[in-house]
Every structure is written in C-alpha cells, then in structure tokens.
Amino acid sequence: MKKYDVVIIGSGISSIISGLILTKHRKSVCILEQHYTPGGYTHSFTKNGVMYDTGAHYIGALDKGRPFHTLLTYLDIPMDGLFFPLDRHGYDILEFPSFSVEYACDYEQTISNLSTIFRKESDAIRRYFDYVKKVALQFPTYEYDSSYDEASMQKIMNTSLQDVLDTFTRRPRLQSALAAYCTLHGVFPKDVPFGIHAVVTDSLMHSVHGLRNGGQAFVDALLVRFKNQGGELFMQEKVVDLDIENSLIKKVTTASGKHFIAEWIISGIHPKAIFSFVRKHLKKAFTNRLDNIQESASFLTIYGEFKDVKHFAPLKNYYYFQQESPDKLIEVGTASDTPSCIFLSHPNTLDRKTGQTIIIPAKMEWFKRWENLCSNERKNDGAYNSIKQTIAQKILKTLASRGVSIDSWKTLDISTPITNRDFNGSIDGSAYGIYHSIDNTGVRALGPRTHIRNLLITGQSTLFPGMLGAAISGLRSCGHLIGIRSLLEELKKIQHTNRKG
Amino acid sequence: MNRDEIVNKVNDMLMQNFELTEDKLLPSSRFVEDLGLDSLDAVDMLVHLENQLNVKVDVEKFREVRTLGNVYDLVYEMSKELT
Ligand SMILES: Cc1cc2nc3c(=O)[nH]c(=O)nc-3n(C[C@H](O)[C@H](O)[C@H](O)COP(=O)(O)OP(=O)(O)OC[C@H]3O[C@@H](n4cnc5c(N)ncnc54)[C@H](O)[C@@H]3O)c2cc1C
C-alpha cells in the first residue's frame, strides 16, 4: 500500500489549499472527498442548465497585493477569468427599515456614506473604522507577518464586537450598520471577538469580487494545479474510521473499504465529525468541551432567477435587515417568523454565468421531522416541499414589503440545513462550522494541533469563517509541517512586491 | 468565593475532566512532570476553568503557570478582581 506524506480528509477550500502548499513543498499528498463533486461549500451545482453557487458568492482581499491574491499568486494559480470585481463604489447595500447605506471598497467612502446618515456620529464612525483597519493589520496570517504582538492579539481576541461598539457609539441603529457583517461569520456582536469581525470587514473594504463561473471553476483551477504538482484526489471516498496505535493514526478507512496510510493526517471536515472517529482515545476534558461547542447558524437558500433585473443596481449585493438592533441582526426564530436578514447575491450581474440566490439564516430545528429521510425520500415528501415553499413565499413577501419588485422572480430549487448537512457533513447544516465566539477562537480555538499526535485539523471551524478564513486556515495548518515562519516570509515578499508594483 | 472554595472547584473540575485522583492534586503538583498534562491539555483546562468558575482568565498570566498552586492563585486573583 502506498504511504503518503499527508492524507487530507475533505476537499473544501481549506483542504485544497493545504494540498497545494504541501505538494508545492514536494510532499506526497492525497485528498479524500466523500462526494462526487469537490469543493465543499465552494462547489456549484447545475440545474436546468444553470449553474448555482452554494457557499461562494463574493470574496474579499483579491486585488493585487491583498492577502487572498498573494496566497493564490504564491500557489501559481492563474486567476484570469475566475473573478470579476463588484462595484467598488458600493458593493453591499444594507437596507434597514429606517435607512439604507452602502459599503464601498474604500474606507473614506464608507465613512462618508455612514456619516451622511449619522451626522452627529461622524467622528465615532471614523474612529471605529480606523480601529478596524489597525486591528486587521495585526493578524500574522492576514498580513503575513510573523512578528506580531502577543498582548495586543490577546486583547482583540478577548474583546467582543459589542464591547468595542459601545466604546464608540451607543446608538443601536448605527451599531447595527457597523455590525452588519455578523452575517458573514454568523456570530452575535456580544460573542464574536472583535479581531474576527475586523478581519472579515477589512478584507471586503479593499476589494470585492464575485466568481465568474461559480465557485466550481475556482475549485477546478486549484485542483488542476494540485494534480500538476503530483497531488492525488479520490472522490466518493467517505472517511468512516481512523485506526490508532500509540497515539498515532496508522490507517484511514473509507466507506468503500479502502485504507490509506500517511505520516500525517490533515482533516478539513467538521471537528466534531473527525473527533467522533477517535473519541475513545481522547480525554474527557476535550470531548466534554467539544460537545459543549455550539454550531453557527445554518442557511436556507432559494435558487432561481429574476427575469427582470433592472430594479437592481449592477454589481451590488443587497441585505434586507428586519431590525435595527445589533443583537437581533442574525437572530433565527421559528420557520414562520419574518427572517431577520435576507441576502440577495448581486442579482444584477450580467457578466457572471451563474444563477441567482436568495439566502436567509435558518435552523435545523425547522426541519427536524425530515432529518432522517434520505434525499430521494425528502424530494417526494409533500410536507417537506410544502414547508420549503411556504418559507420561500414568506421571504418573497417580505422582500415585496421592502419595495423589491419580485414579480419576475422564478424559484427553481430550495436548499435547507438538511441539504447542507448531507452534502457537507457540517453538524446541523451549520454554514460556518462551529460558533466562533471568544470561547472557541484565538488561544481557545480547536487545532491546528490535536491530542492525536499526527492529526492536524484545518477549515473554517479552526480559524475564521468564509473562503478567505478557510483558505488561511489551510496555510496555518501546513505551517506545522513546513514551518510557518518561512511560509509567511515567502508570502510577505510577494505581498510586498505586489503592493509596490 | 474564598480561596478554599476555589481550590475545591478547581480540583473537582480536574477530577471530572482529566480523570486525576485527589491525592495527586497538591499545590506543588507540576502540570507536565506530576500530572502528565501537555500544552493542549492546558487549553482545555483554561476553557473548563472559565466555564465552571465563570471568570475570564488572563491568558498571558495563564501561560506562566507551572503548578496547581499557581492556578489556584491566578483564579483567586481574577475572582477578586471581578468582585
Ligand atoms: C449559504 C452559504 C453562503 C456562503 N457565502 C459565502 C461567501 O459569499 N463568501 C465567503 O467567503 N464564504 C461564504 N460562505 C462560507 C464558505 O463557503 C465556507 O467558509 C468555506 O467554503 C468552508 O471551507 P472549509 O474548507 O472549511 O470546508 P467545507 O467547505 O465545509 O468542506 C468540507 C468538505 O469535507 C467533505 N467531507 C465531510 N465529511 C467527510 C468525510 N467523512 N470523508 C470525506 N470527506 C468529507 C465535505 O463533503 C466537504 O467537501 C458561505 C457558506 C454558506 C453555507
């Protein structure tokens, strides 16, 4: 049996980035993916001839000299044609019941947009964004700088967004506008470390791109390179067991009965899923902690088409928030409640080849009755289809009440938390993996090292959510095998050159 | 919470989660050498301490602790700061 240097479990973006870094450093690597399509939440699917994205709608930090661009340059990924810029002058329109504001790829412009609405608070707005910028720069794996200040890092990872907001303004309406990107990590302002919120915000405020041919084209481009560097990808190989001897994984077993062996194992699947295979080898201290970690919210997505998009400005996303209070921004109530937030992924983008999506936060609980049915059984279950349609109708009605012209919308398909769970293996269909609260991040985070000596974990649950967070988590996990300092130095050089150029 | 209460709570937490017996839980017990705990166990311990005692531990100071006595002192200090 071939022995690899590294077996990677799952083919989400964190796993593929790990595979690319390791093969670039001449390690023999194979990736095992349970599905017939690679990419995890970055995969796209095709229905009635139209391609739809599941979890790849827009990405930040892709301009030359920004962190994602630097990472892809380092990995020799040709980026032409994969991405297109959204409107730099206003890429996200945040619609609140009493006001509307645009975020732009420019701090000054965004500060000015907000200051027009909150005139008396313009100084606080400026100071808040100055702080966001300053904090984001402190992350070693975002700025690619290995010399960081531990004490200030602790401070930004132990202070909640809400605490920071309270120091700048007490007005819930303004706080809501500043906390809107809680939708992008799924953590309430009182729980999320300010550091995570700052990186997510900053990554978008320099550059924002959509994916021209969907997340799948991006994944395919990464995999071409991975294979060219000697990496192997095995599809429909669901890992079901890990054999342990003397605290080391000796063998990875898949559902098809195959075994894979390697010096190191990197898991890019949900931490609760990977540790379930080795539970009896772990101390209660760890398993008790793992069991108590909450999941982030899940999403329900409607896939379809606005035949007439002229009501939407080109190249902009739309967020419709229901409430103007930071603790209610991403609240998930019952299936019959009006959604706290509705996201339209840049509906007027003639340039892209993928279909349109409308997304709301959702809960597995809404679909408990059907969670044990397989996908074919669900497809034919009248009650399941009916609840999905009822929720979709509610979303469309809410959009109409907010002035969106929905007459030309045609629903093609609807995915629920069960779909997410079944396709991705995320617990309860969570969109962003574990709940990234102060208790589960920074020094308290799970991974990359684990109690099993040759098992590293990667993925959005180990660092911060989103494609960028997941990709950087791959870098960080590989740092344990190759040396994080040298990796960061190589990346820093590219970033530096590109910024100068 | 007085110091004795803190010592009892920390010890209970260690017995429940790390399966350590009471006779090993002395203020002089060193994490690595006497209790067989490593740096990853220390992270688990930090999270359990915070949850069970409802305090947020200063991570920088926690990094310096080497014995159980150091833990009792640190938690005592933090709980005093809270009150
Ligand atoms: C609806 C939605 C919208 C989103 N929109 C955006 C966005 O616009 N921008 C953005 O940056 N991020 C977005 N995200 C988040 C982003 O998609 C994720 O953060 C990122 O893709 C996660 O990558 P990952 O590597 O952590 O793992 P995942 O994508 O979760 O991949 C895990 C992989 O492991 C496989 N797997 C699981 N169990 C096993 C097993 N036992 N054996 C083998 N393989 C297994 C799965 O099939 C999957 O392929 C969105 C997410 C959702 C759900």
Side-chain angles (χ1 to χ4, degrees):
Chain A
M1 197 189 304
K2 177 170 178 180
K3 183 171 181 181
Y4 295 90
D5 291 326
V6 186
V7 164
I8 300 178
I9 305 173
S11 71
I13 188 157
S14 61
S15 294
I16 304 177
I17 294 288
S18 303
L20 279 161
I21 295 172
L22 294 169
T23 47
K24 186 178 167 90
H25 287 260
R26 304 192 183 285
K27 304 278 182 202
S28 63
V29 179
C30 81
I31 294 181
L32 306 176
E33 167 56 47
Q34 63 177 353
H35 271 289
Y36 44 83
T37 310
Y41 276 140
T42 317
H43 91 280
S44 319
F45 69 94
T46 303
K47 190 146 186 180
N48 293 1
V50 182
M51 189 188 263
Y52 291 92
D53 271 318
T54 54
H57 302 283
Y58 68 129
I59 322 183
L62 263 176
D63 271 4
K64 203 172 168 189
R66 307 301 322 165
F68 215 155
H69 186 278
T70 305
L71 183 58
L72 297 179
T73 308
Y74 170 70
L75 295 171
D76 306 306
I77 307 300
M79 284 174 262
D80 280 356
L82 288 181
F83 311 108
F84 62 90
L86 294 183
D87 183 354
R88 298 187 65 85
H89 305 293
Y91 59 89
D92 275 340
I93 301 192
L94 313 181
E95 296 278 0
F96 288 92
S98 73
F99 69 98
S100 157
V101 67
E102 288 191 40
Y103 269 59
C105 292
D106 176 6
Y107 273 93
E108 283 307 315
Q109 165 105 51
T110 306
I111 291 168
S112 153
N113 292 350
L114 279 158
S115 301
T116 312
I117 302 162
F118 303 98
R119 284 182 195 283
K120 287 191 189 142
E121 312 269 333
S122 63
D123 184 47
I125 295 167
R126 174 168 300 282
R127 283 187 291 114
Y128 171 80
F129 280 107
D130 281 349
Y131 191 47
V132 167
K133 225 187 302 185
K134 185 174 145 207
V135 164
L137 289 178
Q138 291 177 28
F139 276 84
T141 44
Y142 180 65
E143 238 342 75
Y144 303 131
D145 195 344
S146 53
S147 58
Y148 65 97
D149 177 32
E150 180 68 37
S152 48
M153 197 69 191
Q154 291 310 330
K155 186 170 164 228
I156 59 182
M157 293 306 285
N158 285 321
T159 311
S160 73
L161 167 63
Q162 188 63 55
D163 285 343
V164 170
L165 288 172
D166 288 343
T167 63
F168 291 102
T169 173
R170 290 274 172 181
R171 293 182 68 177
R173 288 170 74 228
L174 175 56
Q175 287 195 346
S176 301
L178 301 177
Y181 287 147
C182 284
T183 46
L184 300 182
H185 49 67
V187 188
F188 284 94
K190 68 175 176 33
D191 297 325
V192 69
F194 182 68
I196 288 188
H197 192 77
V199 171
V200 169
T201 305
D202 182 80
S203 71
L204 296 172
M205 288 185 63
H206 293 283
S207 79
V208 177
H209 288 79
L211 296 100
R212 191 180 301 280
N213 292 304
Q216 201 66 58
F218 178 33
V219 167
D220 291 346
L222 297 175
L223 285 172
V224 165
R225 186 78 210 158
F226 172 67
K227 288 177 188 164
N228 283 345
Q229 290 176 172
E232 295 174 50
L233 168 68
F234 297 102
M235 300 302 298
Q236 292 181 281
E237 292 292 357
K238 178 176 180 158
V239 172
V240 290
D241 200 12
L242 303 174
D243 272 22
I244 298 212
E245 265 173 49
N246 300 327
S247 305
L248 288 172
I249 297 171
K250 289 288 173 203
K251 197 165 68 184
V252 177
T253 305
T254 60
S256 68
K258 292 198 191 84
H259 303 299
F260 295 83
I261 54 174
E263 202 72 34
W264 284 91
I265 313 298
I266 296 186
S267 166
I269 70 176
H270 196 291
K272 287 183 184 169
I274 197 70
F275 290 119
S276 72
F277 302 137
V278 292
R279 211 173 155 90
K280 64 174 187 284
H281 299 274
L282 299 166
K283 285 184 189 152
K284 264 204 216 149
F286 182 74
T287 52
N288 286 348
R289 193 184 144 203
L290 193 67
D291 295 345
N292 284 327
I293 292 180
Q294 290 174 49
E295 288 302 296
S296 60
S298 189
F299 289 144
L300 177 142
T301 304
I302 318 180
Y303 305 91
E305 190 186 9
F306 280 106
K307 283 247 177 287
D308 181 0
V309 292
K310 68 172 182 296
H311 307 283
F312 301 104
L315 301 167
K316 292 178 194 290
N317 298 310
Y318 287 78
Y319 285 88
Y320 293 89
F321 290 102
Q322 201 56 30
Q323 307 221 36
E324 297 180 352
S325 167
D327 55 337
K328 300 270 192 293
L329 285 179
I330 51 168
E331 196 177 54
V332 193
T334 67
S336 50
D337 287 346
T338 303
S340 54
C341 170
I342 304 175
F343 171 69
L344 305 190
S345 170
H346 41 98
N348 184 355
T349 302
L350 300 175
D351 205 17
R352 78 170 172 191
K353 308 283 184 291
T354 52
Q356 293 159 1
T357 46
I358 302 176
I359 303 176
I360 61 159
K363 266 190 196 154
M364 184 62 120
E365 224 175 272
W366 301 354
F367 303 96
K368 247 325 186 236
R369 261 177 71 189
W370 300 278
E371 72 172 346
N372 295 323
L373 299 187
C374 72
S375 99
N376 262 342
E377 288 169 326
R378 287 200 308 274
K379 212 176 267 166
N380 297 319
D381 188 296
Y384 181 66
N385 288 317
S386 154
I387 187 177
K388 289 202 302 186
Q389 289 299 338
T390 309
I391 296 170
Q393 285 309 321
K394 175 104 195 168
I395 296 171
L396 294 170
K397 233 171 108 183
T398 309
L399 286 173
S401 74
R402 303 292 292 272
V404 180
S405 169
I406 54 152
D407 297 344
S408 75
W409 173 263
K410 194 163 168 278
T411 297
L412 189 78
D413 208 345
I414 300 165
S415 69
T416 71
I418 306 185
T419 328
N420 289 352
R421 182 204 59 191
D422 285 2
F423 196 91
N424 234 47
S426 73
I427 312 295
D428 283 345
S430 59
Y432 298 129
I434 63 154
Y435 188 64
H436 291 76
S437 62
I438 291 176
D439 294 340
N440 306 322
T441 50
V443 283
R444 299 172 187 84
L446 299 173
R449 287 192 307 130
T450 73
H451 292 284
I452 309 293
R453 276 190 290 140
N454 64 342
L455 171 67
L456 296 170
I457 59 172
T458 194
Q460 60 175 347
S461 291
T462 68
L463 194 64
F464 60 90
M467 287 180 276
L468 175 66
I472 293 180
S473 78
L475 168 75
R476 211 171 56 126
S477 303
C478 293
H480 281 269
L481 301 183
I482 287 168
I484 192 72
R485 268 178 194 279
S486 60
L487 273 176
L488 291 179
E489 269 158 31
E490 286 181 72
L491 285 153
K492 176 110 198 142
K493 255 186 241 157
I494 297 172
Q495 184 134 302
H496 193 67
T497 313
N498 281 345
R499 280 189 186 168
K500 270 203 309 204
Chain B
M1 249 186 299
N2 65 35
R3 207 185 142 85
D4 284 349
E5 284 171 327
I6 284 180
V7 170
N8 286 338
K9 280 210 163 188
V10 171
N11 286 355
D12 281 350
M13 182 278 289
L14 290 170
M15 287 190 286
Q16 267 171 36
N17 288 292
F18 290 89
E19 289 154 56
L20 293 166
T21 49
E22 197 157 16
D23 56 308
K24 289 205 165 164
L25 303 179
L26 306 168
S28 58
S29 302
R30 292 163 301 172
F31 285 143
V32 182
E33 299 84 345
D34 303 321
L35 302 177
L37 304 176
D38 61 19
S39 59
L40 286 171
D41 293 317
V43 176
D44 297 337
M45 187 189 298
L46 171 75
V47 173
H48 285 296
L49 277 174
E50 292 184 330
N51 287 345
Q52 292 204 358
L53 298 160
N54 215 6
V55 288
K56 270 272 166 279
V57 174
D58 182 327
V59 176
E60 298 259 327
K61 288 189 183 154
F62 189 73
R63 284 226 170 92
E64 317 252 289
V65 303
R66 295 288 174 269
T67 66
L68 217 43
N70 297 155
V71 175
Y72 302 143
D73 292 343
L74 181 61
V75 176
Y76 183 54
E77 191 190 311
M78 311 235 80
S79 67
K80 263 199 327 205
E81 272 172 29
L82 274 183
T83 53

